[in-house]
DNA sequence: GTCTATAACTAGATAGAC
DNA sequence: GTCTATCTAGTTATAGAC
């Protein structure tokens, strides 16, 4: 009676289990450096079994990367659709972005560092979705300017900067770190408002802005 | 008389040639996905010849990554050592960072995306150097605050954001793109000044600030 | 310095039994 | 669904001739 009894660990949702572990390992060692064997071992099945759920390794990566962008675009579009002041919209977009990256740092980061490993087809699809997102962010900035509330240095460059540094939160935020998720979100929103020169607001207003955005984000996410 | 005559392509500095091509290929396909065979082929020598110049693949990566951080720290420390206003220092640091990333996008980006592939030893070394750099940036921000010129949301978070989005310039800046390197540098400095709430300055002053920093950067770099 | 030849190994993926 | 067994190909790196 060797190792053939599984403590099983109900295969409840194997597919989901694979996705999660893959996210972790791709994030930590990199996609190319992670082998299907290691992934299978971590999950305590044999390599061949992985191929029952996914046709190949790249497909796992693609799913992980896409799920993040999808959520990002969805959240941002919902936020933008609401009747709001430009400041509220900007705060909403930043909170959406920061919270997602803080709470799903592994998947989020893959979309920034492992795009190269996607097939041409998959890459094109993903770039299209990322461009959608970028357009939403640029739109928020330009609408704010049109409304006379923002003074922009350069809409596109500002959007790039906003997205780049808000994504970066995934690499350093820790749930038990110096700053709580609320504080981090506050800080990034305040930073964003300064970048569009809209921070004549007192701090209290900034915080109220963030709370609103968070409430909406939570309501929307669940 | 087959392929044994080289058009040679003086091996003038083979080592440097390898570094450059490696930077390109690591950047484009990723470190793990680039093989020594392909690298050798691109340079038109045999795989074994690479090992005359580098003991292994990882050493090439390490050299590329280190050279960027070294330059970054060196530039920043020189800038900070000058007698300057906080605004001038901040502008100097941002210009140093942006110009380096715009002009050496491949090597620069490796330091953000391929750290995972370094050996433990090399990683430790590099992290130490990155921390040095971070401290310089945080120092500039805190000195500015101590001098009563900056109002900071959070020094460390602001430094992270500054570094993250200024590094990102390497991924989109093109020499023949919409914005010139000067314009890009202007924009990032202006953004940085807003982030520390020091932008009561008229635009002309911002531009003068950047020009000064660029002049120093050029003088220092050559 | 650059080559040929090859060692020693590991990768992703598939066939087909249970 | 999960397994065993295996194919095919590609990987880094080295030994030693020229």
């Amino acid at each position: 009676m060797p190792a053939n009894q599984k403590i099983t660990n109900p295969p409840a949702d194997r597919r989901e289990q694979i996705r999660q572990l893959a996210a972790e390992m791709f994030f930590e060692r990199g996609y190319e450096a992670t082998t299907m064997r290691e992934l299978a071992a971590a999950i305590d099945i044999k390599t061949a079994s992985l191929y029952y759920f996914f046709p190949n390794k790249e497909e796992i990566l693609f799913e992980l990367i896409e799920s993040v962008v999808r959520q990002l675009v969805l959240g941002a579009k919902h936020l933008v659709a609401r009747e709001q002041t430009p400041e509220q919209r900007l705060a909403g977009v930043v909170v959406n972005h920061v919270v997602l990256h803080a709470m799903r740092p592994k998947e989020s980061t893959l979309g920034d560092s492992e795009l190269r490993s996607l097939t041409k087809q998959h890459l094109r699809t993903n770039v299209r979705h990322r461009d959608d997102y970028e357009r939403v962010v640029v739109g928020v900035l330009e609408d704010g300017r049109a409304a006379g509330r923002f003074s922009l240095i350069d809409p596109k460059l500002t959007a790039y900067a906003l997205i780049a540094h808000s994504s970066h939160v995934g690499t350093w935020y820790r749930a038990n770190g110096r700053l709580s998720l609320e504080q981090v979100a506050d800080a990034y929103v305040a930073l964003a408002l300064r970048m569009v020169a809209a921070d004549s607001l007192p701090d209290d207003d900034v915080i109220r802005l963030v709370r609103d955005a968070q409430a909406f984000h939570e309501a929307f996410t669940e």
Side-chain angles (χ1 to χ4, degrees), chain A residues 158-199:
Chain A
T158 303
Y160 286 166
L162 214 49
I163 291 173
H165 74 225
S166 306
S167 296
H168 186 65
V169 77
T171 69
W172 62 264
Y173 170 76
R174 297 291 173 267
N176 295 324
R178 178 172 62 93
L179 300 172
S180 70
L181 184 53
E182 262 82 24
Q183 290 176 307
V184 173
D186 285 356
Y188 278 101
V189 169
L191 226 42
L193 290 170
R194 286 186 176 191
M195 288 166 73
V196 299
D199 63 335

Side-chain angles (χ1 to χ4, degrees), chain A residues 14-84:
Chain A
R14 260 288 131 84
R15 208 188 139 84
E16 189 48 33
Q17 194 186 9
I18 295 173
R19 279 183 48 146
Q20 275 182 15
L21 242 72
E24 208 155 305
M25 298 178 75
F26 291 171
F27 174 72
E28 253 142 45
R29 347 186 161 184
Y31 169 77
E32 294 283 353
T34 303
T35 70
M36 293 296 266
R37 276 185 237 277
E38 289 170 326
L39 177 54
I43 222 169
D44 200 33
I45 56 175
K46 297 297 169 184
T47 311
S49 304
L50 292 173
Y51 290 86
Y52 177 79
F53 298 97
F54 293 89
N56 56 52
K57 188 183 171 190
E58 190 264 353
E59 197 73 35
I60 309 180
L61 178 66
F62 180 61
E63 260 198 45
L64 291 171
I65 290 182
E66 273 292 282
S67 79
V68 171
V69 193
R70 212 188 327 272
Q71 175 108 355
L72 227 39
V73 173
L74 212 67
K77 284 194 174 164
H78 272 257
L79 280 161
V80 167
R82 292 207 300 175
E83 278 301 328
Q84 291 182 125

Side-chain angles (χ1 to χ4, degrees), chain A residues 71-135:
Chain A
Q71 175 108 355
L72 227 39
V73 173
L74 212 67
K77 284 194 174 164
H78 272 257
L79 280 161
V80 167
R82 292 207 300 175
E83 278 301 328
Q84 291 182 125
T85 65
E87 285 86 352
Q88 285 174 318
R89 284 183 169 195
L90 181 58
V93 167
V94 170
V95 168
N96 181 52
H97 196 104
V98 167
V99 170
L100 183 70
H101 280 74
M103 299 192 46
R104 295 170 63 193
K106 293 156 218 151
E107 288 130 300
S108 310
T109 305
L110 295 178
D112 291 325
S113 61
E114 302 287 7
L115 288 183
R116 285 179 300 226
S117 297
L118 295 177
T119 61
K120 260 195 187 109
Q121 279 278 350
H122 281 164
L123 179 62
R124 257 221 311 266
T125 302
N126 188 252
V127 168
R128 201 155 22 84
H129 293 154
R130 298 172 84 77
D131 286 351
D132 284 349
Y133 184 61
E134 188 189 302
R135 260 189 296 277

Side-chain angles (χ1 to χ4, degrees), chain A residues 122-159:
Chain A
H122 281 164
L123 179 62
R124 257 221 311 266
T125 302
N126 188 252
V127 168
R128 201 155 22 84
H129 293 154
R130 298 172 84 77
D131 286 351
D132 284 349
Y133 184 61
E134 188 189 302
R135 260 189 296 277
V136 175
V137 178
V138 172
V140 168
L141 297 179
E142 283 178 337
D143 289 354
R145 173 160 71 181
R149 314 277 305 181
F150 298 168
S151 150
L152 304 178
I153 289 165
D154 180 276
K156 231 171 164 172
L157 187 145
T158 303

